[in-house]
């Protein structure tokens, strides 16, 4: 009989707040609401009868530090950042975001288990806890972990009180000098209670791979482990429409493991362009009694890394057009949020990006699910440090005891995501130096291989000369180079793999809408306003400009792609202003901290998005006081050639050429003398005929606020967020690109004001307060749904400005 998965799920799964039940054989309770939270030391908070009534009530995922205040003294690190080539220690403020993440804090919550008895097992699962979590249940310590980015779980069956109230207490401790960026703080990812039968699948033991694929059929290999005896596994495979397409029954268990091969006819292959997902429903029977059931999505696709063809997906060679992302989500900090992640991916998709690297730690499950669904390849990273420290209190403290456990959990929990095409065991680890490091690299890579023989492992290597000498680079499945464009050819010659990955590229810095004169290529350039120029010519002493990477990507077939540092700005690491207060977030992003595109977005889009045309002019054209002065104009475009007009006068045609790396990828009119008015670019096709045009205009004074939401409706689930871009225009509707007006936000109806962000890396305004200044004429307001359906109204006001209003509808 051809059942449909959706009707199956319809009757077996029901939602009740955060409550989730699968076939009545297991229940998953996501502990979102009702948490009590308090910073400081509270040793007696482990006790069941501890009075937490006066503690703050919070919702998890929660980041306790994002509410600030920003403080120059927080985690001030007087260090020489050796990986940046520094040898003299200087005072770094804002390195970890200047937000109060350090210290101890406690969370408490209770849950009841209506179906609990001694035929049941209970697991407590943390998808990330920052950091050094210690877990107590009903007054007893059940376990601890160290790395704040790891997923981990404990079998807590023996600590359960019974069906009624169970009291959970979690202690978290963040040391100062433990990070190179803002790590966040708290239970920033989901916490779940899983109740299942004693006869049940072992957590994260299921591994679905697709070892052989042809046009006609695919072999789906399923391995899984279960507790109990005399068990039978029945697996059903469903296509994306929910129709069952095959199934298999097995009662053979070898070495405690079931294994099945199931055929899928005419398989639909997963790729970034066609992110087709199948679902496997695994049912565990003892006799005729269903004991456990899990639902696992997977994709059918092949990956291959070879000397001649480089990287190929489903037999087709392609390059990674990737970005590195830190885990923070700007104004909401590290508290994981699906709509914030989805918005990031939508922006990146439009840019033509096809891959993400989770720098430098375990990605959230939500991000991987979205990448499966939306079509992004994923480089899942684990560590920024091994045994040798980068920061005094970094992962080096835990490496010996935890590295294997952390890798095992990363791989087992995520290996069924088709988006993951590579693992990374480390980033720029100082262990690149010395023979011990080579051994560690091999040891870690072997653990990845043991847990997942289907994907290769890389390390982002910056000490390229050292790893050539030591053999470190030679043993990696995929040699990844961070920057060092001048060493690509030599590394390719000396490494045996026959291909190279730009595991980290560019680190070009810019501030959205800010342009500096004279326009020149410069390394580590700083300015009195602590901003960097959006002419995209400023980079770091260890890094380079985007165009330098493009040359390698285009001219060296053996370079298998790049991961740009970074897709979005992030909290902390405000290079080149590491020592300049109040800089507190990065300048590296292609998009700013609010998710607004900088000019660089269009440079990447012009080559990565091969479907849609790109035609973008910079700088803005509001330069009162620069009349008659040289004000270069750049155009980022998918066309090879264009003509520029200022107030109707032609400034000539520019064509991409090989004179410099910039000339190859950008159209540049260097000698433009500023006069206010209309700057127009007309793109020319290969025959020299006009193909598209774009113009920007000098604006008058700020007059009216304009609101534009990324979505029209929200889900009434208390989590969904609309990102509303607020900009200001003059009387004629022309955007005012330099406006800095102070604005106020009011949300009415069935929604809440969550945060705002203007992308200014030097702003000390707090994200969660309902007021903020525009930066370069824009900012973004985050409006969050409640559990109630209905309209939500956002009103934005500012002195002497016509207000902006917007209605968003919240639906079930
Ligand atoms: C790299 C490092 C990144 C970030 C970047 C800034 O060396 O891997 O984490 O620090 O530099 O350019």
């Amino acid at each position: 009989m051809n059942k449909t998965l959706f009707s199956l799920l319809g009757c077996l799964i029901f939602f009740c707040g955060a409550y989730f039940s699968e076939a009545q054989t297991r229940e998953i309770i996501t502990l979102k609401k009702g948490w009590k939270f308090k910073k400081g030391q509270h040793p007696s908070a482990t006790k069941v009868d501890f009075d937490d009534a006066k503690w703050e009530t919070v919702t998890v995922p929660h980041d306790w530090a994002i509410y600030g205040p920003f403080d120059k003294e927080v985690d001030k690190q007087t260090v020489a950042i050796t990986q940046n080539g520094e040898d003299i220690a200087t005072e770094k403020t804002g390195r970890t975001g200047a937000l109060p993440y350090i210290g101890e804090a406690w969370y408490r919550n209770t849950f009841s288990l209506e179906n609990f008895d001694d035929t049941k097992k209970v697991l407590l699962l943390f998808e990330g806890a920052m950091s050094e979590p210690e877990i107590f249940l009903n007054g007893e310590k059940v376990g601890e972990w160290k790395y704040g980015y790891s997923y981990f779980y404990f079998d807590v069956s023996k600590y359960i009180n019974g069906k009624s109230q169970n009291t959970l207490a979690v202690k978290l401790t963040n040391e100062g000098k433990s990070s190179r960026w803002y790590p966040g703080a708290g239970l920033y990812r989901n916490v779940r209670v899983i109740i299942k039968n004693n006869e049940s699948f072992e957590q994260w033991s299921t591994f679905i791979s697709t070892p052989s694929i042809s046009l006609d059929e695919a072999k789906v290999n399923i391995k899984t482990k279960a507790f109990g005896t005399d068990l039978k596994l029945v697996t059903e495979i469903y296509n994306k429409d929910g129709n069952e397409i095959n199934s298999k029954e097995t009662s053979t268990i070898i070495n405690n493991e079931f294994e099945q091969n199931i055929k899928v006819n005419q398989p639909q292959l997963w790729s970034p362009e066609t992110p087709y997902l199948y679902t496997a429903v695994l049912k565990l029977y003892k006799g005729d009694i269903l004991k456990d059931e899990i639902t696992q999505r997977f994709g059918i696709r092949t990956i291959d890394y070879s000397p001649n063809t480089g990287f190929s997906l489903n037999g087709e060679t392609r390059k990674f057009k990737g970005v590195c992302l830190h885990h923070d989500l700007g104004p909401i900090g590290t508290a994981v949020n699906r709509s914030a992640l989805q918005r990031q991916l939508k922006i990146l998709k439009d840019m033509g990006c096809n891959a993400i690297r989770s720098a430098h730690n375990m990605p959230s499950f939500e991000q991987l699910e979205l990448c499966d669904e939306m079509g992004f390849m994923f480089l899942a990273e684990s560590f920024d440090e091994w045994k040798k420290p980068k920061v005094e209190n970094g992962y080096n403290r835990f490496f010996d005891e935890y590295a294997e456990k952390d890798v095992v959990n990363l791989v087992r929990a995520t290996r069924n995501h088709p988006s993951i095409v590579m693992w990374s065991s480390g980033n720029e680890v100082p262990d690149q130096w010395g023979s011990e490091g080579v051994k560690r690299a091999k040891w870690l890579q072997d653990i990845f291989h043991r847990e997942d023989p289907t994907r290769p492992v890389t390390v982002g290597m910056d000490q390229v000369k050292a790893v050539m000498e030591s053999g470190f680079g030679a043993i990696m499945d995929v040699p990844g180079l961070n920057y060092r464009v001048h060493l690509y050819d030599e590394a390719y010659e000396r490494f045996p793999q026959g291909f190279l990955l730009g595991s980290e590229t560019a680190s070009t810095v810019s501030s959205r809408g800010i342009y500096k004169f004279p326009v020149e290529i410069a390394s580590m350039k700083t300015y009195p306003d602590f901003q960097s120029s959006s002419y995209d010519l400023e980079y770091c002493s260890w890094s380079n400009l985007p165009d330098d990477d493009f040359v390698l990507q285009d001219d060296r077939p053996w370079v298998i792609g790049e991961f740009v540092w970074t897709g979005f700005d992030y909290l902390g690491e405000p290079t080149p202003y590491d020592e300049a207060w109040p800089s507190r977030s990065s300048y590296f992003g292609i998009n700013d901290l609010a998710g607004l595109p900088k000019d660089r977005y269009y440079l990447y889009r012009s080559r990565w998005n091969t479907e849609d045309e790109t035609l973008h002019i910079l700088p803005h054209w509001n330069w009162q006081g620069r009349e008659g002065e040289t004000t270069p104009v750049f155009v980022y475009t998918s066309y090879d050639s264009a003509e520029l007009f200022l107030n109707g006068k032609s400034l000539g045609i520019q064509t991409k050429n090989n004179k410099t790396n910039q000339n190859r990828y950008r159209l540049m009119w260097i000698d433009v003398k500023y006069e206010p008015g209309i700057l127009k670019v007309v793109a020319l096709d290969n025959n020299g005929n006009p193909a598209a045009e774009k113009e920007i205009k000098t604006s008058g004074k700020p007059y009216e606020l304009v609101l534009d939401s990324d979505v029209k409706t929200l889900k009434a689930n208390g989590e969904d967020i609309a990102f509303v871009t607020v900009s200001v225009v003059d009387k004629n509707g022309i955007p005012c690109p330099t406006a800095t007006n102070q604005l106020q936000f009011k949300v009415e109806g069935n929604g809440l004001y969550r945060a705002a962000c203007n992308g200014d890396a030097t702003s000390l305004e707090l994200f969660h307060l309902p007021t903020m200044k525009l930066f370069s004429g824009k900012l973004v307001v985050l409006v969050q749904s409640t559990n109630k359906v209905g309209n939500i109204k956002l009103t934005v006001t500012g002195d002497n400005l016509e207000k902006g209003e917007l209605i968003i509808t919240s639906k079930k």
Side-chain angles (χ1 to χ4, degrees), residues 203-341:
Q203 182 70 11
W204 297 333
S205 68
T206 304
F207 186 17
I208 305 183
S209 60
T210 51
S212 98
I213 300 172
S214 69
L215 275 181
D216 287 338
E217 56 192 29
K219 179 181 4 177
V220 178
N221 179 269
I222 298 179
K223 291 183 176 148
T224 194
K225 292 184 177 167
F227 300 102
T229 51
D230 304 323
L231 300 171
K232 181 173 75 184
L233 170 69
V234 178
T235 302
E236 296 156 359
I237 307 278
Y238 294 83
N239 67 13
K240 115 171 172 315
D241 303 318
N243 296 318
E244 185 179 338
I245 51 172
N246 209 346
S247 67
K248 189 132 200 174
E249 194 178 306
T250 317
S251 36
T252 313
I253 299 188
I254 302 176
N255 289 331
N256 193 33
E257 190 172 62
F258 286 108
E259 179 164 4
Q260 296 177 324
N261 286 311
I262 305 183
K263 188 156 114 177
V264 170
N265 288 323
Q266 281 92 46
Q268 303 287 315
L269 303 190
W270 185 95
S271 75
E273 297 75 31
T274 57
Y276 194 100
L277 295 172
Y278 290 88
T279 301
V281 176
L282 283 76
K283 295 179 174 175
L284 187 72
Y285 288 91
K286 188 175 172 91
D288 288 335
I289 302 171
L290 181 65
K291 288 290 182 181
D292 198 8
E293 178 174 331
I294 53 176
T295 300
Q296 181 64 61
R297 280 197 320 196
F298 67 98
I300 299 180
R301 51 121 184 92
T302 61
I303 52 169
D304 183 66
Y305 297 79
S306 301
N308 294 321
T309 44
F311 168 67
S312 48
L313 181 78
N314 301 327
E316 217 177 277
T317 297
R318 58 165 79 208
K319 295 206 183 205
F320 295 110
K321 304 185 226 174
V323 298
C324 303
L325 293 181
H326 264 311
H327 69 310
D328 80 65
L329 294 165
I332 58 170
T334 58
V336 72
N337 180 281
R338 214 180 145 86
S339 38
L341 289 164

Side-chain angles (χ1 to χ4, degrees), residues 687-703:
N687 302 318
N689 296 321
E693 62 176 63
K694 190 81 176 242
E695 57 181 35
I696 55 173
K697 294 178 182 166
T698 308
S699 79
K701 285 204 188 78
Y703 170 74

